[in-house]
Amino acid sequence: MARFAQKKTSDFDAKGSESYEHGFSYSTKDYRYITKPGLSQKVVEEISHIKEEPKWMLELRLKALKQFEAASMPKWGADLSGIDFEAIHYYLQPTDKQVSSWDDVPADVKLTFDRLGIPEAERGVLAGVKAQYDSEVVYGSLKEAFSKDGVIFLSMDEGLKLYPDLVKEYFGSTIPSGDNKFSALNTAAWSGGSFVYVPKGVDVKMPLQTYFRINSPNAGQFERTLIIVDEGAKVHYVEGCFVAGTSIVSSEGRVFIEDVKKGDLVLSHEGKYKKVNHTQARPYSGKLFSLSIRGNPSEEIEATSEHPFLIVKRKYKNEKNKVWEKSWLPVSECRQGDYVCIPIDQVIDEQQTRIFPIKIGTGKHGFKVEQLEFPCTPELFTLIGYYLAEGSISSGHYLNFSFSETEREFIDEVKRLILEVFGETRISESYHKKNHGTNVVVSSTRLCRFFEQFGKGAANKVIPKWVMQEGKEKQEKLIKAWYRGDGNYYKRTLAHGFKEMFRISTVSKNLAYQGRDILMRLNVASSINVRNRAKEKRQDMYNLVIGGEQMIVFGAIVDQPIQPKIWGKKRATYFNIDEKYLYAPIRSIEVSEVDNIYVYNFGVDDDESYVAGGVAVHNCTAPSFSSGSLHSAVVEIILKKGTRCQYTTIQNWYKNVYNLVTKRAYVGEEAEMIWTDFNMGSKVTMKYPSFILAGKGARGETLSMALASAGQHQDTGSKAIHLAPYTSSTIVSKSISKDGGRTSYRGLVNVGPHATNSQNTVICDALLLDSISRSDTYPVDRVFNSQVAVQHEATVSKIGDDQLFYLMSRGISEEDARKMIVRGFIGDLIKKLPLEYAVEMNRLIDHEMEGSIG
Amino acid sequence: MTEITKKITITDSEIVKLTEPGNYLIELTKPEATAEIFGSFSVSRKERAKIVVTIHHKAPQTLAKTNLRGVARDKAHLSFSGRIIIDEHCGGTNSFLTERILLLSDTATAEAIPDLEILSDDVKCSHAASVSSIPAEQLFYLMSRGISKFEAEKLIVDGFLQQ
């Protein structure tokens, strides 16, 4: 949960920026072992060697590697072309050994779990928690009571060491390595995962839980889970793949992050304004990164380490980049000299005339509102420019422009323009002897009311939105007039040449930053520096400085042409600017440890990004790596006679993860397997939990829910293989597609010739929330004997107008009505979850549904 | 039985009867076109029959009701593969697909594949498939009224295929 901190000063940690070399979301320098990317026999042998595995396991891995290489990618289902097997790190080992107490877990790992929002209660009160961080299980604890009963709950590696015979007997028995390409991959490269053995007759009442998280870019996560439930035993296993993921981060340009409210509009990295859909604040302890950006050194940006920024990596040490390729990188991967991207407001709203409602007093009768209409011309913008520089309002009714007596040309221009634009004739001039100043005074209440929106005095000057978004030509006029009033051209000869720049000075911080924004629209990059004048007992002075190459464009705007070259060489500049972004190099990065400060959070519609401290940042929780990560797990469950196992997964991976999982249970006589599978995250999910009903009277049940938003494809379903008589299975699948997401149900029901008197029911319900989304159903029923009842039902629908009408006629808003209908749609599945997960799910769904009207 | 491939374009309102196994592509190309598709099949001995029906909705406000029924005896194999495709911008479309198969011997086998591919919202679409033997209660009902088992089966099957 990356967040931005409230502004605070931080001590410089000189080593901080040096120690983050590996380019992972968290420092991986402490990782004991990282394999090179790519999978080869050598890598597999290395993994097996490090883990000190028995020979049969190595042989199994190598056999699986061959099968993986020989197998082709599945030609059906989702698009998997984005996976680059060569770029993946197949094994990362974060800590030396497993720890059994939560206190011994390394601090940064703990922090990650804290941010995942794994509730304290779950860690402490609930039974066993195993946490998988990258490839290894780092923390495991099991309630003593369970150990007493002989329940084994270990990481797969430990399981292999302590119970080699048990593992050898069952490993790969339900899902052989050659089952499919990804099970082969997992068998070759597996690390971590859980090993669970429940002895005869033991009923494990508390759910066993595991959390997984991918911390590094291009890290594959290949956990292997093996659950063996011996006769008459019962267990519930919960797999929480990245429970957090709901809430996001930070601040908008000139608004303090803590002041951002739901519904505010913030600029996204696309240069458009998007709505804030939720906000959040929470205490944070850990590393805080402070970035100082060239051009804006006074305003530091502080972020937690995995927070992604839109960054262009520096290519050359002493030269600017030639190509400007942007990517989202966590702040911990940024280096001094890299370029941050500052989005330029792309909104242009040009008008020929504008109307302003103005309150005019009517003596003791109060106010009446008058509509003041005037042409919105370049001349008006020149006047606004002069007002920003020299204007003020006195006594509420007198509009003043204060010039020096020598600025005769400007004085005349202002007088002419007031007459031209507003047709105002009540203009007088007054001379201030002591300051050698000339005041142009306009006695017009209406004009005063109009100019009030630009601030009444020098320190609170501000540019309203309609001016910020006007056309370029008009804005150039404004800059030109502002420069005439408040700006100067500075040239000083030094020993080695000369220093040359344009400057505009103001005491209004807002105005300085807004001036910078307008200049960006005019293709000029500028810097802001602050001069503290407390000693002179004056306000801070903000200087907008235009130097180097930028002076050429600016010179043209203010009619003060500049030589394009000095001594035949191009003028230098730190910056690069194009239509959409200003690229400014990072001046320095500082890292500090903070303890329990409040960090702020908010989510943004559509673009999921915003501008913090002037820089484009992403609002996601999980590290956002530019390359896709792969999660390819294998879960094997063996249920002996009369047992029951429920396996619950809540999957909310970050939306660039390929989630390709093989899950299968072997269900013995009178045993019962329940898969509860919730898929909300990841880019592509292909997961079909299956059960082989091999014993007489075995039962299988799958409850599957998928939610796909933009860019996601949830290809999920279930397989029921009936091999024995009197077996029954139920598959209930609910899917919701929105914002162009795609959900598919892909299922197989196979009733073998010996599975007489078997029953199967499949129900697939799909809900489409808009016209760009897609929903598919691909069931296959194969029946090889006649004494069966196989049923399949599927419906696809949208939220009915009549349903909405019914709810809205009872005073419920459309958004709430939609949420209610969706909640009802999946309600019966949610009920099957443990309470805290049910709460979490409802919250996630509400969040996902927010703002999805239409 | 020889396999046939047939493309049927529906622009108005039509009832299509399918009698032979094969590939059928049924396209609804004009708004408000309606199609009722009914197919009944009976296979016995070692026959293998495969019926592939694709109902492709290419225009808004179209309606299709597809009903496939089949009976498999002896060692026969019967496969129904129905697919409903609704293109983008085909709002107001309703499409229903039913596949029902009766297996009359322990050695007869069946496969039912009802697919949906839906690319627009504002549609009502469902499919249902079932594979089963003749329910024992139905046989019992008829036999308790003095009808022989053979006759009872025949009555049930005839009724099943005729709907």
Side-chain angles (χ1 to χ4, degrees):
Chain A
M1 255 151 266
R3 290 131 214 278
F4 278 78
Q6 205 169 358
K7 289 303 294 178
K8 63 165 268 305
T9 48
S10 51
D11 295 323
F12 180 60
D13 172 6
K15 279 182 190 160
S17 55
E18 303 297 320
S19 58
Y20 283 80
E21 287 299 325
H22 297 290
F24 294 109
S25 166
Y26 264 114
S27 165
T28 47
K29 76 182 163 72
D30 297 331
Y31 277 36
R32 207 181 73 169
Y33 196 81
I34 302 168
T35 58
K36 290 210 172 62
L39 191 61
S40 63
Q41 184 167 344
K42 214 178 148 216
V43 171
V44 170
E45 279 168 0
E46 256 178 76
I47 296 173
S48 191
H49 177 73
I50 296 158
K51 290 173 172 288
E52 298 163 10
E53 288 176 353
K55 201 167 163 233
W56 64 268
M57 184 51 87
L58 174 63
E59 279 164 7
L60 185 64
R61 281 180 186 270
L62 291 174
K63 187 178 132 209
L65 177 66
K66 289 216 178 74
Q67 284 165 330
F68 166 68
E69 282 163 354
S72 57
M73 289 290 263
K75 289 186 181 66
W76 45 274
D79 177 17
L80 300 176
S81 55
I83 304 175
D84 181 3
F85 289 104
E86 288 308 307
I88 291 168
H89 292 273
Y90 283 87
Y91 180 55
L92 298 106
Q93 191 181 12
T95 50
D96 272 3
K97 59 175 193 307
Q98 281 205 34
V99 287
S100 55
S101 150
W102 184 254
D103 295 334
D104 296 340
V105 173
D108 59 342
V109 177
K110 225 191 288 185
L111 190 63
T112 307
F113 286 108
D114 276 347
R115 295 203 210 141
L116 286 184
I118 297 172
E120 199 74 43
E122 278 176 34
R123 288 188 219 131
V125 178
L126 289 180
V129 174
K130 289 224 172 248
Q132 173 139 3
Y133 186 72
D134 278 334
S135 303
E136 293 273 317
V137 172
V138 292
Y139 168 70
S141 83
L142 184 62
K143 263 209 163 168
E144 266 181 35
F146 296 153
S147 320
K148 257 185 239 158
D149 288 335
V151 177
I152 303 168
F153 182 31
L154 294 170
S155 78
M156 197 62 216
D157 302 277
E158 282 178 310
L160 180 59
K161 270 193 194 122
L162 299 172
Y163 305 93
D165 296 338
L166 211 52
V167 172
K168 193 176 176 185
E169 188 184 343
Y170 290 105
F171 194 95
S173 65
T174 310
I175 305 176
S177 61
D179 189 80
N180 63 63
K181 190 177 175 76
F182 293 97
S183 67
L185 175 65
N186 178 282
T187 310
W190 73 267
S191 50
S194 312
F195 174 71
V196 177
Y197 176 80
V198 188
K200 281 184 190 173
V202 175
D203 182 357
V204 182
K205 288 218 174 72
M206 298 278 198
L208 303 175
Q209 305 185 41
T210 323
Y211 295 93
F212 302 105
R213 181 178 194 270
I214 296 177
N215 184 42
S216 315
N218 277 328
Q221 181 151 309
F222 306 100
E223 84 265 9
R224 182 88 187 198
T225 300
L226 178 60
I227 300 174
I228 304 161
V229 192
D230 217 333
E231 284 179 28
K234 284 182 187 150
V235 68
H236 183 185
Y237 183 89
V238 181
E239 176 190 84
C241 286
F242 205 56
V243 182
T246 33
S247 46
I248 311 87
V249 206
S250 197
S251 107
E252 186 231 348
R254 311 296 150 226
V255 183
F256 288 116
I257 171 80
E258 55 268 36
D259 297 337
V260 174
K261 293 183 299 296
K262 187 172 159 180
D264 284 359
L265 289 173
V266 299
L267 193 64
S268 79
H269 77 284
E270 292 290 333
K272 297 187 184 103
Y273 287 93
K274 298 285 170 167
K275 219 191 227 168
V276 172
N277 52 34
H278 73 283
T279 60
Q280 194 185 326
R282 60 175 261 164
Y284 167 73
S285 301
K287 287 206 170 68
L288 198 67
F289 285 70
S290 310
L291 265 64
S292 165
I293 310 293
R294 288 252 178 229
N296 192 3
S298 60
E299 203 177 53
E300 284 193 345
I301 306 165
E302 295 183 324
T304 53
S305 62
E306 78 276 35
H307 196 99
F309 281 65
L310 193 57
I311 291 286
V312 177
K313 273 284 186 197
R314 176 172 282 269
K315 287 245 166 62
Y316 317 101
K317 204 171 175 195
N318 296 318
E319 234 179 297
K320 269 203 302 183
N321 281 20
K322 307 233 159 32
V323 209
W324 300 87
E325 225 173 85
K326 301 171 283 293
S327 61
W328 292 106
L329 281 182
V331 61
S332 55
E333 278 188 48
C334 298
R335 299 284 166 277
Q336 193 176 332
D338 289 349
Y339 296 90
V340 295
C341 303
I342 303 170
I344 299 171
D345 186 352
Q346 298 290 319
V347 184
I348 294 178
D349 173 24
E350 271 200 89
Q351 306 265 332
Q352 294 308 313
T353 52
R354 287 197 186 261
I355 302 172
F356 287 90
I358 279 173
K359 267 187 181 174
I360 298 291
T362 51
K364 59 184 173 185
H365 304 298
F367 295 96
K368 69 172 187 217
V369 176
E370 241 176 56
Q371 303 293 337
L372 188 65
E373 185 180 349
F374 51 83
C376 188
T377 54
E379 287 73 34
L380 173 70
F381 277 69
T382 305
L383 262 185
I384 294 170
Y386 277 122
Y387 181 81
L388 290 173
E390 315 285 18
S392 63
I393 292 169
S394 54
S395 315
H397 302 286
Y398 300 98
L399 180 65
N400 303 302
F401 292 86
S402 329
F403 290 99
S404 152
E405 59 179 338
T406 53
E407 296 172 315
R408 184 43 45 193
E409 189 196 336
F410 304 159
I411 297 167
D412 290 344
E413 193 179 11
V414 168
K415 285 163 82 175
R416 181 174 59 81
L417 289 177
I418 286 175
L419 186 65
E420 260 179 39
V421 179
F422 298 104
E424 184 58 66
T425 49
R426 290 168 293 182
I427 308 169
S428 62
E429 237 179 75
S430 65
Y431 181 69
H432 196 290
K433 217 170 179 184
K434 192 176 149 206
N435 291 343
H436 303 286
T438 302
N439 248 357
V440 178
V441 183
V442 188
S443 331
S444 162
T445 313
R446 282 168 185 80
L447 282 194
C448 285
R449 291 293 92 77
F450 171 71
F451 277 100
E452 259 174 19
Q453 59 181 303
F454 302 98
K456 284 188 199 170
N460 47 30
K461 286 279 170 61
V462 62
I463 307 177
K465 192 171 156 193
W466 63 272
V467 176
M468 295 296 294
Q469 296 182 344
E470 258 292 348
K472 274 189 176 183
E473 189 205 351
K474 294 176 195 173
Q475 292 185 336
E476 280 178 4
K477 292 286 177 202
L478 180 146
I479 292 291
K480 185 178 168 185
W482 184 29
Y483 171 76
R484 282 185 165 186
D486 270 353
N488 61 41
Y489 166 74
Y490 175 95
K491 183 169 180 176
R492 205 165 112 197
T493 313
L494 305 165
H496 306 290
F498 61 88
K499 200 174 173 180
E500 192 185 19
M501 64 177 104
F502 287 112
R503 282 195 302 209
I504 305 179
S505 310
T506 174
V507 291
S508 162
K509 186 177 173 182
N510 274 333
L511 185 59
Y513 282 101
Q514 285 181 321
R516 190 169 184 245
D517 291 347
I518 287 192
L519 282 175
M520 286 201 302
R521 285 168 70 106
L522 304 177
N523 221 13
V524 177
S526 53
S527 309
I528 287 180
N529 58 44
V530 191
R531 192 152 67 89
N532 188 330
R533 301 190 297 180
K535 278 184 194 155
E536 304 159 47
K537 292 196 174 151
R538 297 178 72 180
Q539 289 161 300
D540 285 355
M541 172 75 97
Y542 294 85
N543 286 320
L544 202 56
V545 179
I546 300 100
E549 205 182 297
Q550 309 296 335
M551 293 179 71
I552 305 165
V553 187
F554 189 81
I557 294 174
V558 298
D559 259 344
Q560 206 165 323
I562 283 290
Q563 288 242 311
K565 289 186 175 182
I566 310 169
W567 319 125
K569 279 189 179 164
K570 269 176 81 178
R571 287 166 181 269
T573 178
Y574 285 123
F575 307 106
N576 183 44
I577 190 163
D578 64 19
E579 297 281 278
K580 287 180 89 174
Y581 297 99
L582 168 68
Y583 305 91
I586 298 175
R587 192 162 167 248
S588 65
I589 302 178
E590 297 170 13
V591 189
S592 56
E593 282 289 339
V594 292
D595 196 33
N596 218 12
I597 62 164
Y598 262 90
V599 287
Y600 295 86
N601 232 6
F602 68 87
V604 185
D605 282 357
D606 303 337
D607 291 342
E608 291 295 335
S609 68
Y610 45 87
V611 180
V615 177
V617 298
H618 205 277
N619 75 345
C620 73
T621 35
S624 159
F625 303 113
S626 41
S627 45
S629 295
L630 175 62
H631 174 240
S632 175
V634 168
V635 177
E636 292 177 281
I637 299 176
I638 291 113
L639 291 168
K640 299 201 173 168
K641 191 177 171 183
T643 56
R644 183 181 193 272
C645 177
Q646 182 171 357
Y647 191 105
T648 303
T649 307
I650 295 167
Q651 179 269 110
N652 192 18
W653 292 110
Y654 191 67
K655 285 171 186 163
N656 63 352
V657 172
Y658 286 88
N659 187 36
L660 311 167
V661 178
T662 313
K663 291 183 167 167
R664 196 169 301 160
Y666 176 93
V667 190
E669 203 175 315
E670 298 290 335
E672 185 180 21
M673 177 69 214
I674 300 165
W675 295 104
T676 316
D677 203 39
F678 289 74
N679 293 292
M680 314 192 67
S682 83
K683 180 183 163 114
V684 170
T685 296
M686 283 174 78
K687 179 161 43 163
Y688 320 100
S690 46
F691 28 79
I692 299 169
L693 303 171
K696 192 177 166 186
R699 252 180 54 72
E701 191 176 339
T702 301
L703 307 164
S704 167
M705 201 215 83
L707 177 67
S709 319
Q712 286 182 282
H713 185 179
Q714 307 282 16
D715 199 303
T716 58
S718 185
K719 283 193 239 177
I721 318 287
H722 294 253
L723 297 179
Y726 302 103
T727 50
S728 65
S729 62
T730 308
I731 298 169
V732 179
S733 161
K734 304 251 180 185
S735 65
I736 301 169
S737 319
K738 64 189 264 280
D739 302 334
R742 180 177 171 191
T743 54
S744 306
Y745 170 82
R746 198 179 294 279
L748 169 70
V749 176
N750 195 332
V751 185
H754 303 299
T756 51
N757 297 302
S758 293
Q759 282 186 21
N760 162 270
T761 307
V762 179
I763 297 169
C764 311
D765 291 334
L767 194 60
L768 284 163
L769 293 185
D770 50 47
S771 59
I772 52 170
S773 303
R774 173 170 178 177
S775 168
D776 310 312
T777 316
Y778 304 104
V780 175
D781 297 344
R782 286 202 191 108
V783 184
F784 296 95
N785 85 71
S786 67
Q787 304 299 310
V788 295
V790 174
Q791 282 180 17
H792 176 97
E793 267 174 59
T795 59
V796 176
S797 57
K798 68 162 197 168
I799 292 180
D801 288 337
D802 45 345
Q803 297 170 345
L804 274 184
F805 178 79
Y806 178 85
L807 289 169
M808 285 169 75
S809 70
R810 272 144 185 83
I812 295 162
S813 74
E814 184 176 350
E815 186 163 344
D816 285 343
R818 275 173 194 278
K819 278 188 193 168
M820 283 170 85
I821 293 167
V822 169
R823 246 185 268 152
F825 177 72
I826 52 165
D828 41 348
L829 292 196
I830 299 273
K831 275 183 207 146
K832 305 271 181 178
L833 284 173
L835 179 67
E836 61 275 24
Y837 286 91
V839 171
E840 176 87 353
M841 272 313 280
N842 275 331
R843 214 162 55 84
L844 270 172
I845 286 160
D846 274 1
H847 166 62
E848 288 282 340
M849 287 293 299
E850 215 128 278
S852 64
I853 286 192
Chain B
M1 280 187 222
T2 48
E3 286 239 325
I4 57 161
T5 302
K6 210 168 171 188
K7 183 174 164 182
I8 303 164
T9 307
I10 293 171
T11 52
D12 195 15
S13 168
E14 267 183 66
I15 297 172
V16 181
K17 289 227 162 163
L18 310 177
T19 47
E20 281 174 74
N23 284 308
Y24 296 92
L25 174 63
I26 293 151
E27 292 186 338
L28 293 99
T29 50
K30 283 247 177 80
E32 296 186 16
T34 61
E36 267 188 56
I37 300 138
F38 184 76
S40 71
F41 304 88
S42 173
V43 286
S44 54
R45 294 187 301 279
K46 282 188 174 178
E47 282 172 347
R48 297 181 72 79
K50 186 167 186 167
I51 297 97
V52 181
V53 183
T54 308
I55 300 113
H56 195 157
H57 294 261
K58 290 185 163 176
Q61 316 285 351
T62 50
L63 166 71
K65 284 183 191 165
T66 312
N67 204 337
L68 299 176
R69 285 169 188 255
V71 175
R73 295 182 170 91
D74 306 330
K75 284 187 172 177
H77 177 80
L78 183 60
S79 163
F80 283 157
S81 173
R83 172 171 291 191
I84 298 173
I85 301 172
I86 301 180
D87 282 352
E88 283 172 65
H89 315 299
C90 291
T93 292
N94 290 350
S95 194
F96 308 102
L97 169 68
T98 316
E99 297 176 0
R100 303 219 179 277
I101 298 175
L102 271 188
L103 296 174
L104 295 187
S105 86
D106 278 354
T107 43
T109 58
E111 187 175 43
I113 308 174
D115 289 356
L116 296 176
E117 281 185 21
I118 292 158
L119 281 76
S120 49
D121 68 345
D122 195 14
V123 298
K124 266 194 194 140
C125 200
S126 73
H127 63 205
S130 71
V131 181
S132 64
S133 54
I134 295 179
E137 311 86 77
Q138 294 184 9
L139 275 181
F140 178 77
Y141 179 83
L142 291 172
M143 284 164 75
S144 70
R145 274 151 185 76
I147 299 167
S148 73
K149 189 179 177 193
F150 181 81
E151 272 296 307
E153 271 190 15
K154 192 172 175 301
L155 280 173
I156 292 168
V157 169
D158 286 351
F160 176 76
L161 285 176
Q162 263 175 21
Q163 272 176 2

